Amino acid sequence: MDYRKRYFFILAVLLPALLVSCSSQPATVHPIPVTGATVAAVEGSAQPTVLSPERAMPTASIQAQPSTSVSCKSPAALTPAVTEGPYFKANSPERADLLDTGITGTKLVLSGYVLTAGCQPVPNAVLDFWQANAQGQYDNSGYTLRGHQFTDAGGRYQLTTVIPGLYPGRTEHIHVKVQAPGGPILTTQLFFPGVQQNDSDSIFNAKLLIQMQDAPDGKQGSFNFIVNTK
Ligand code: FE
């Protein structure tokens, strides 16, 4: 084999080998980005837990609202449970303002705390409210005047709604389910002071009276829930 033939032999045999080894390199590199992509996908699927920071967000806005005093003496009596009634609907929307377009009546801003029997605030407790409109009617086909919310980092909630109307056999009341994280569900109702029908309503309980005061655009109410956390 002369010099030229030997040169072509080297090109013919060694160059393809070199090309193969180069092209196979990315195959060993791929697993790293693939692993990274897998992690990103898992983080993406875990996105719903990002809702938690949103639940904590009301802290700033609620601090700007009129403060509700925490009147609680440890050990505090648990908030009494009363009957759920026939009109509860699961899966209410998460919202603190129930004043949809067309809602009439006296505006009520109800606020307070969810507390333990030791008067400690309960952050991230869920409160699910439902009530009749000012004419005493429930929306059983949709979610008018229904909504759930979570207490902020200080255990505080605030509901914007209207004062419910009377319906046969019942005084004015707002239904609510309250649950501390990991705790039992408290099902109860809140009542309004000075309503004549309170005296004739067998479900009425004076321990569930809202503290009311006038507000420039309606009424302002206050009620603190004392709940079990286990
Ligand atoms: Fe009711």
Short mmCIF file of all heavy atoms in Angstrom, two decimals, residues 84 86-87 130 138 167 170 173 175 189, ligand 1:
data_model
loop_
_atom_site.label_atom_id
_atom_site.label_comp_id
_atom_site.label_asym_id
_atom_site.label_seq_id
_atom_site.Cartn_x
_atom_site.Cartn_y
_atom_site.Cartn_z
N GLU A 84 -78.49 21.84 60.48
CA GLU A 84 -78.03 22.31 59.17
C GLU A 84 -79.20 22.85 58.33
O GLU A 84 -79.01 23.80 57.56
CB GLU A 84 -77.38 21.13 58.44
CG GLU A 84 -76.96 21.41 57.02
CD GLU A 84 -76.26 20.22 56.39
OE1 GLU A 84 -75.21 19.78 56.92
OE2 GLU A 84 -76.78 19.69 55.39
N PRO A 86 -82.46 22.24 55.47
CA PRO A 86 -82.56 21.49 54.21
C PRO A 86 -81.85 22.13 53.01
O PRO A 86 -81.87 21.57 51.93
CB PRO A 86 -84.08 21.46 53.96
CG PRO A 86 -84.58 22.72 54.60
CD PRO A 86 -83.67 23.02 55.75
N TYR A 87 -81.22 23.29 53.18
CA TYR A 87 -80.79 24.03 51.99
C TYR A 87 -79.28 24.13 51.78
O TYR A 87 -78.82 24.90 50.94
CB TYR A 87 -81.39 25.44 52.02
CG TYR A 87 -82.90 25.43 52.06
CD1 TYR A 87 -83.60 26.10 53.07
CD2 TYR A 87 -83.64 24.75 51.10
CE1 TYR A 87 -84.98 26.09 53.12
CE2 TYR A 87 -85.03 24.72 51.14
CZ TYR A 87 -85.69 25.40 52.16
OH TYR A 87 -87.07 25.38 52.19
N TRP A 130 -74.16 30.09 53.83
CA TRP A 130 -75.31 30.09 52.90
C TRP A 130 -76.51 30.70 53.62
O TRP A 130 -76.64 30.60 54.84
CB TRP A 130 -75.60 28.70 52.35
CG TRP A 130 -76.26 27.69 53.26
CD1 TRP A 130 -77.57 27.29 53.24
CD2 TRP A 130 -75.64 26.89 54.28
NE1 TRP A 130 -77.80 26.32 54.19
CE2 TRP A 130 -76.63 26.05 54.85
CE3 TRP A 130 -74.33 26.80 54.79
CZ2 TRP A 130 -76.37 25.14 55.88
CZ3 TRP A 130 -74.07 25.90 55.83
CH2 TRP A 130 -75.07 25.09 56.35
N TYR A 138 -84.14 30.92 49.25
CA TYR A 138 -82.83 30.33 48.98
C TYR A 138 -82.70 30.07 47.49
O TYR A 138 -83.70 29.77 46.81
CB TYR A 138 -82.68 28.99 49.71
CG TYR A 138 -82.44 29.14 51.19
CD1 TYR A 138 -83.51 29.25 52.08
CD2 TYR A 138 -81.16 29.19 51.71
CE1 TYR A 138 -83.30 29.39 53.44
CE2 TYR A 138 -80.94 29.33 53.07
CZ TYR A 138 -82.02 29.43 53.93
OH TYR A 138 -81.81 29.59 55.26
N TYR A 167 -88.57 33.62 56.57
CA TYR A 167 -89.42 32.70 55.81
C TYR A 167 -90.21 31.89 56.82
O TYR A 167 -89.88 31.89 58.00
CB TYR A 167 -88.61 31.84 54.81
CG TYR A 167 -87.54 30.93 55.36
CD1 TYR A 167 -87.82 29.61 55.73
CD2 TYR A 167 -86.22 31.38 55.47
CE1 TYR A 167 -86.81 28.77 56.19
CE2 TYR A 167 -85.22 30.55 55.93
CZ TYR A 167 -85.53 29.25 56.29
OH TYR A 167 -84.54 28.43 56.76
N ARG A 170 -89.27 30.59 60.50
CA ARG A 170 -87.89 30.90 60.86
C ARG A 170 -87.67 32.40 61.04
O ARG A 170 -88.17 33.22 60.28
CB ARG A 170 -86.92 30.40 59.76
CG ARG A 170 -86.78 28.90 59.61
CD ARG A 170 -86.44 28.15 60.91
NE ARG A 170 -85.43 28.78 61.75
CZ ARG A 170 -84.10 28.66 61.57
NH1 ARG A 170 -83.65 27.91 60.60
NH2 ARG A 170 -83.25 29.25 62.38
N HIS A 173 -81.61 34.46 59.90
CA HIS A 173 -80.43 33.67 60.27
C HIS A 173 -79.52 33.47 59.06
O HIS A 173 -79.97 33.51 57.91
CB HIS A 173 -80.84 32.30 60.82
CG HIS A 173 -81.59 31.46 59.82
ND1 HIS A 173 -82.92 31.66 59.53
CD2 HIS A 173 -81.17 30.45 59.02
CE1 HIS A 173 -83.30 30.79 58.61
NE2 HIS A 173 -82.25 30.04 58.27
N HIS A 175 -76.71 30.62 57.79
CA HIS A 175 -76.12 29.29 58.04
C HIS A 175 -74.62 29.34 57.80
O HIS A 175 -74.14 30.06 56.91
CB HIS A 175 -76.70 28.25 57.08
CG HIS A 175 -78.16 27.98 57.26
ND1 HIS A 175 -78.64 26.97 58.06
CD2 HIS A 175 -79.25 28.58 56.73
CE1 HIS A 175 -79.96 26.96 58.01
NE2 HIS A 175 -80.36 27.93 57.21
N GLN A 189 -75.79 28.28 62.99
CA GLN A 189 -76.49 29.42 62.38
C GLN A 189 -76.24 30.65 63.23
O GLN A 189 -76.08 30.54 64.45
CB GLN A 189 -78.01 29.16 62.32
CG GLN A 189 -78.41 27.91 61.53
CD GLN A 189 -79.91 27.64 61.53
OE1 GLN A 189 -80.72 28.54 61.76
NE2 GLN A 189 -80.29 26.40 61.24
FE FE B 1 -82.35 28.55 56.78
#
